């Protein structure tokens, strides 16, 4: 283990972390819940590298961290319910899912292509200072490799992600991931339990939060096919030559050119491809095309998550 990856929890360590994040690098940092693996939430490639570092086989949407409710409201549309809950539980171990603003500057990848975004204002002092100093929205899932336990100490992060710079802010006081509530409607929907309890939420808004299963209509879980962004046009996978009037989402070398072609990565770089995926799918999803043909993407590294997403988009049609 190398100590070079640990940045001290002082002014210079925080300044260095802020600088790295602004440059598009990943930095793990403490919150009161768990350590997050942070990246500039507006930067598609920085966000794509989060998925690459975690080895996630799919694009789950990520939580975006802000220093205040005021900053958070710049990115999402806050219903009266969302405003109430934010006022009560921020800063703290609490995350709100809201609708993205039309001109939202956040990467579509943090939303995994959805029209919603999860926002959180953490209370941890180091996280607060970092967010203010970096002055950028920071996307961060828990700083562990996919499928492993969330880290609550810098040493845990070092074990999980030895290549990542870590702002070493000591132990997380809560140690359990934040409560996630969808506050787009009139009734809160609890998407993930955490240390803010349903009773505490009910005390603020007058009704118990719905559990996702209790109300499938209101449920926008990223795991559910219905909720996932799927293009309106049919999607055809593993196509080398598109038919007439079909758009083409290319990958790697491609001789076909034109307005109907967008290339995820000419050089065949999977991180670049992931960074472009959702934005390009949306750009090609136009009425002038009958469908969207997708060139084969190698089933390795980030290619697993890209193919997972594309297979869902294709399956949603059936
Ligand atoms: O405590 C925490 O929340 C930590 C710290 C670092 O903030 N972060 C964390 O992130 O646990 P992650 O990526 O491991 O979990 C994000 C959760 C997932 O359950 C995801 O499905 C949900 O938030 N989520 C994110 N965006 C969403 C969206 N647009 N709609 C529905 N659920 C969303
Ligand atoms: Mg996690």
């Amino acid at each position: 283990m190398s100590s070079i990856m640990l940045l001290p929890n002082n002014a210079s360590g925080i300044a260095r972390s802020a600088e790295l994040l602004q440059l598009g690098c990943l930095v793990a940092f403490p919150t009161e819940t768990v350590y997050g693996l942070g990246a500039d939430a507006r930067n598609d490639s920085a966000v794509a590298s989060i998925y690459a570092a975690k080895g996630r086989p799919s694009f789950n949407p990520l939580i975006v961290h802000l220093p205040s409710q005021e900053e958070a409201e710049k990115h999402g549309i806050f219903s009266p319910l969302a405003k109430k809950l934010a006022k009560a539980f921020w800063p703290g171990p609490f995350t709100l899912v809201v609708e993205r603003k039309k001109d939202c500057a956040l990467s579509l990848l943090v939303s995994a292509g959805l029209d919603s975004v999860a926002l959180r204002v953490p209370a941890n002092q180091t996280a607060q200072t970092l967010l203010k100093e970096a002055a950028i929205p920071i996307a961060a899932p828990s700083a562990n490799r996919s499928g492993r336990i969330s880290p609550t100490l810098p040493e845990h992060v070092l074990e999980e992600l030895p290549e990542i710079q870590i702002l070493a802010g000591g132990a997380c006081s809560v140690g359990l991931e934040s409560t996630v509530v969808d506050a787009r409607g009139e009734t809160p929907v609890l998407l993930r339990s955490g240390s803010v309890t349903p009773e505490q939420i009910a005390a603020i808004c007058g009704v118990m939060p719905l559990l996702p299963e209790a109300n499938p209509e209101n449920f926008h879980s990223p795991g559910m096919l219905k909720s996932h962004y799927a293009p309106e046009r049919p999607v055809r996978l593993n196509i080398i030559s598109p038919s007439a009037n079909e758009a083409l989402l290319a990958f790697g070398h491609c001789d076909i050119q034109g307005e109907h072609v967008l290339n995820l990565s000419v050089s065949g770089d999977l991180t670049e491809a992931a960074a472009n995926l959702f934005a390009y799918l949306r750009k090609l999803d136009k009425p002038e095309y009958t469908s969207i043909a997708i060139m084969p993407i190698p089933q390795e590294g980030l290619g697993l998550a890209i193919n997972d997403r594309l297979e869902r988009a294709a399956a949603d049609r059936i």
Side-chain angles (χ1 to χ4, degrees):
M1 290 201 296
S2 131
S3 58
I4 285 166
M5 293 301 170
L6 293 183
L7 298 161
N9 187 19
N10 58 25
S12 79
I14 292 175
R16 179 70 186 139
S17 302
E19 185 182 49
L20 286 167
L21 287 164
Q22 287 162 350
L23 290 169
C25 302
L26 299 182
V27 176
F29 66 98
T31 78
E32 67 274 31
T33 58
V34 299
Y35 271 76
L37 178 58
D40 181 347
R42 306 161 311 177
N43 179 332
D44 289 321
S45 352
V47 176
S49 61
I50 290 180
Y51 292 97
K54 283 185 65 98
R56 268 196 181 171
S58 60
F59 293 120
N60 303 333
L62 307 176
I63 295 172
V64 177
H65 299 71
L66 291 314
S68 63
Q69 180 176 347
E70 191 192 345
E71 284 301 315
E73 289 196 26
K74 290 182 182 169
H75 304 285
I77 300 169
F78 279 54
S79 64
L81 173 67
K83 283 184 193 271
K84 230 190 230 180
L85 291 169
K87 200 155 174 280
F89 299 119
W90 280 350
F94 186 76
T95 298
L96 278 173
V97 170
V98 298
E99 201 173 314
R100 290 170 67 102
K101 275 198 170 160
K102 274 278 165 281
D103 58 350
C104 184
L106 302 174
S107 164
L108 266 177
L109 201 51
V110 301
S111 295
L114 301 170
D115 293 321
S116 58
V117 65
L119 303 174
R120 174 172 175 219
V121 176
N124 176 284
Q125 202 47 61
T126 305
Q128 272 288 329
T129 312
L130 175 64
L131 285 162
K132 283 181 189 134
E133 193 138 326
I136 50 175
I138 299 178
S142 51
N144 49 276
R145 293 195 54 79
S146 178
R148 311 230 329 150
I149 293 168
S150 298
T152 53
L153 280 172
E155 293 73 29
H156 297 164
V157 184
L158 203 55
E159 279 170 31
E160 289 287 320
L161 304 163
E163 308 293 309
I164 301 293
Q165 304 267 0
I166 305 159
L167 177 55
C172 303
S173 60
V174 175
L176 184 69
E177 285 97 337
S178 61
T179 302
V180 180
V181 169
D182 183 338
R184 283 177 289 176
E186 282 176 17
T187 311
V189 180
L190 185 67
L191 296 180
R192 183 174 72 184
S193 315
S195 64
V196 172
T197 64
E199 289 76 16
Q200 285 174 295
I201 294 166
I204 298 302
C205 51
V207 282
M208 282 296 270
L210 296 171
L211 299 180
E213 316 80 76
N215 194 339
E217 286 300 299
N218 269 351
F219 190 30
H220 310 276
S221 159
M224 292 178 74
L225 275 182
K226 182 178 145 207
S227 64
H228 246 125
Y229 169 74
E232 276 181 46
R233 257 42 62 195
V235 168
R236 301 197 306 133
L237 303 178
N238 299 317
I239 306 293
I240 311 262
S241 345
S243 22
N245 305 322
E246 191 173 41
L248 177 66
L249 189 61
F251 176 82
H253 176 79
C254 175
D255 288 326
I256 306 162
Q257 312 259 312
E259 259 190 28
H260 65 300
V261 183
L262 287 175
N263 200 320
L264 288 170
S265 170
V266 175
S267 66
D269 179 312
L270 288 165
T271 304
E272 186 186 7
N276 291 328
L277 179 66
F278 293 111
Y280 284 11
L281 270 177
R282 283 186 187 238
K283 277 192 191 153
L284 294 179
D285 194 14
K286 291 213 196 99
E288 59 255 46
Y289 305 126
T290 51
S291 49
I292 306 172
I294 320 252
M295 276 177 69
I297 314 280
Q299 184 69 353
E300 64 192 35
L302 262 185
L304 296 176
I306 296 173
N307 284 323
D308 170 78
R309 191 64 208 85
L310 289 172
E311 277 155 25
R312 284 165 198 260
D316 281 350
R317 304 287 101 206
I318 303 167

